[in-house]
Amino acid sequence: MKRLFTIIAIGIACLVSADMYAQWPIEMYDRYDYTNYTNYAPFNQRITTTGYDADLLEAAIFYETNRQRALHGRPQFRYDYRLEVSAHNHSVDMVNYDFFSHESPVSGKRTMSDRFAEVGIPSCMSGENIAYRSIGSSYAETAKQLVDQWMNSPGHRANILNEGYTHLGCGVAFYKNYSSVYVKATQNFMRGDKSSTTSSTRTVEEKPKANTASVGAADVQPTQDELELYELIMQYRAEKGLPRIPLSASLTYVAQTHAKDMYTYFDEIPEGCNPHSWSGHGPWTQCDYYPDHRNAECMWSKPSELTSYQGYGFEISTYNLPLTRVMTPKGALNGWKTSSAHNAVIINEGKWGAAHWQAIGIGMYKGYACVWFGREKDPVEFRK
């Protein structure tokens, strides 16, 4: 199968749901270098579709980068934990928010400088490489493939071989597309100073690495399609003489998280269950949702499990097959209109007649769309 990869680099002169198994504590950076790191057996493990270790791949990328430095007569990069956190969290954001850029849509993290400031790195000479691709046969092999990609691109190569940079941190986030695992990777470079840290000095422990799907509700922003679907639903309710429902940050977070979860793990829904189910691959309780609603509370409680929203949430969802066929806002609403059960939730008919919705969240991802309704107001507001 042809492997997909894309890379972008920037450099500036100036004054951060993957499963992690802690096979690589940061103190290990003191024990290995690029010449011998593959002697540590976990680097040669196969990356499976059900378990992946971000710390291992991040370390392997660090060592393979230093291999290139040595081959070209450059001094070795020193490891910096703050750079690693910044790089890791940017990769996680690129997966969670479905973008690939040095400019982030996440509030407070728009530029590389913003992300450096968040982890306590002062203004400095710095640079960033990003890439994504399908995984290789092992952590070491995947790292080599990523570094080779960067070395084959003039801009990325310049960052890796820049003698002005002294410190490096690498960060990755894994994601799944059907049966294949992909990774988004970030390298952060800087010229160090007296505040630079090595592997034995963890100065930002109070800001641990983010987990895929661990973004806070206030940081979520609806996509254009999600906003369009929201407005279409509000217009439809207006036609029925019903009031608008406030768009909720918490319920949008839940909806977006569930849309991505179902897209990624759709083929793991247990037999007899429907897509109101939740996989066991995130920071939530697995939910096997049956059509007879015997286990409905495991779905209703997701807003309070994932956010500060205190009430139950009620979901309607729809999807295209294959899931890669993008769902449109109009297509989603038209589908729900033709289903009496879904339509009743939207326009408060039947058993939903007394449900005075005070919050609504929208999530759309590839061929999957879902809307969450709540009776309680959301205390969380979208960040401006």
Side-chain angles (χ1 to χ4, degrees), residues 15 46 58 93 147 156 159 200 277 305 320 346:
L15 299 172
R46 178 173 173 267
E58 288 164 358
D93 285 344
V147 174
H156 305 87
N159 274 342
S200 59
S277 302
E305 185 178 348
N320 285 326
I346 297 172

Side-chain angles (χ1 to χ4, degrees), residues 111-185:
T111 67
M112 181 180 65
S113 296
D114 292 336
R115 299 188 288 275
F116 278 22
E118 186 186 43
V119 296
I121 297 175
S123 185
C124 61
M125 176 182 176
S126 55
E128 182 174 80
N129 288 344
I130 60 175
Y132 73 87
R133 67 169 301 122
S134 55
I135 60 169
S137 59
S138 67
Y139 291 95
E141 176 63 22
T142 302
K144 184 179 184 301
Q145 290 170 347
L146 283 163
V147 174
D148 284 348
Q149 287 175 210
W150 282 319
M151 289 299 292
N152 288 328
S153 167
H156 305 87
R157 181 187 180 94
N159 274 342
I160 289 172
L161 299 182
N162 189 327
E163 293 191 66
Y165 297 144
T166 58
H167 289 69
L168 171 66
C170 306
V172 303
F174 296 92
Y175 59 106
K176 191 176 174 186
N177 187 355
Y178 287 99
S179 60
S180 298
V181 177
Y182 293 78
V183 62
K184 289 186 177 180

Side-chain angles (χ1 to χ4, degrees), residues 68-246:
Q68 292 298 326
R69 296 275 286 190
L71 287 172
H72 293 85
R74 305 298 197 272
Q76 298 288 283
F77 281 126
R78 282 170 279 172
Y79 168 79
D80 189 280
Y81 181 69
R82 299 168 303 172
L83 289 175
E84 181 179 274
V85 171
S86 178
H88 176 89
N89 290 350
H90 186 56
S91 294
V92 169
D93 285 344
M94 287 194 292
V95 170
N96 279 337
Y97 290 95
D98 193 26
F99 72 96
F100 182 70
S101 173
H102 295 289
E103 187 169 303
S104 172
V106 182
S107 177
K109 299 182 182 181
R110 188 178 67 83
T111 67
M112 181 180 65
S113 296
D114 292 336
R115 299 188 288 275
F116 278 22
E118 186 186 43
V119 296
I121 297 175
S123 185
C124 61
M125 176 182 176
S126 55
E128 182 174 80
N129 288 344
I130 60 175
Y132 73 87
R133 67 169 301 122
S134 55
I135 60 169
S137 59
S138 67
Y139 291 95
E141 176 63 22
T142 302
K144 184 179 184 301
Q145 290 170 347
L146 283 163
V147 174
D148 284 348
Q149 287 175 210
W150 282 319
M151 289 299 292
N152 288 328
S153 167
H156 305 87
R157 181 187 180 94
N159 274 342
I160 289 172
L161 299 182
N162 189 327
E163 293 191 66
Y165 297 144
T166 58
H167 289 69
L168 171 66
C170 306
V172 303
F174 296 92
Y175 59 106
K176 191 176 174 186
N177 187 355
Y178 287 99
S179 60
S180 298
V181 177
Y182 293 78
V183 62
K184 289 186 177 180
T186 304
Q187 289 182 308
N188 280 157
F189 309 87
M190 75 173 182
R191 179 193 291 277
D193 56 22
K194 291 182 179 179
S195 70
S196 301
T197 60
T198 63
S199 59
S200 59
T201 307
R202 187 182 288 209
T203 62
V204 286
E205 272 189 303
E206 71 279 4
K207 290 190 73 63
K209 292 182 183 179
N211 190 351
T212 310
S214 67
V215 178
D219 293 312
V220 164
Q221 293 296 327
T223 66
Q224 284 301 116
D225 279 350
E226 288 164 353
L227 288 172
E228 181 181 343
L229 179 54
Y230 170 71
E231 290 300 334
L232 288 172
I233 292 173
M234 293 307 103
Q235 291 170 17
Y236 180 47
R237 285 176 57 84
E239 292 169 6
K240 302 293 183 179
L242 297 169
R244 291 177 68 87
I245 308 169

Side-chain angles (χ1 to χ4, degrees), residues 233-234 236-237 242-243 245 276 293 299-300 313-317 333 336-337 339-360 371-375:
I233 292 173
M234 293 307 103
Y236 180 47
R237 285 176 57 84
L242 297 169
I245 308 169
H276 292 307
H293 312 296
M299 182 264 280
W300 297 344
F314 304 93
E315 179 188 59
I316 59 174
S317 64
L333 181 57
W336 289 322
K337 283 181 176 180
S339 165
S340 59
H342 295 88
N343 191 58
V345 178
I346 297 172
I347 59 174
N348 296 111
E349 287 187 340
K351 67 178 182 179
W352 302 104
H356 300 293
W357 302 132
Q358 298 296 313
I360 186 173
V371 178
W372 284 70
F373 298 83
R375 295 188 177 100

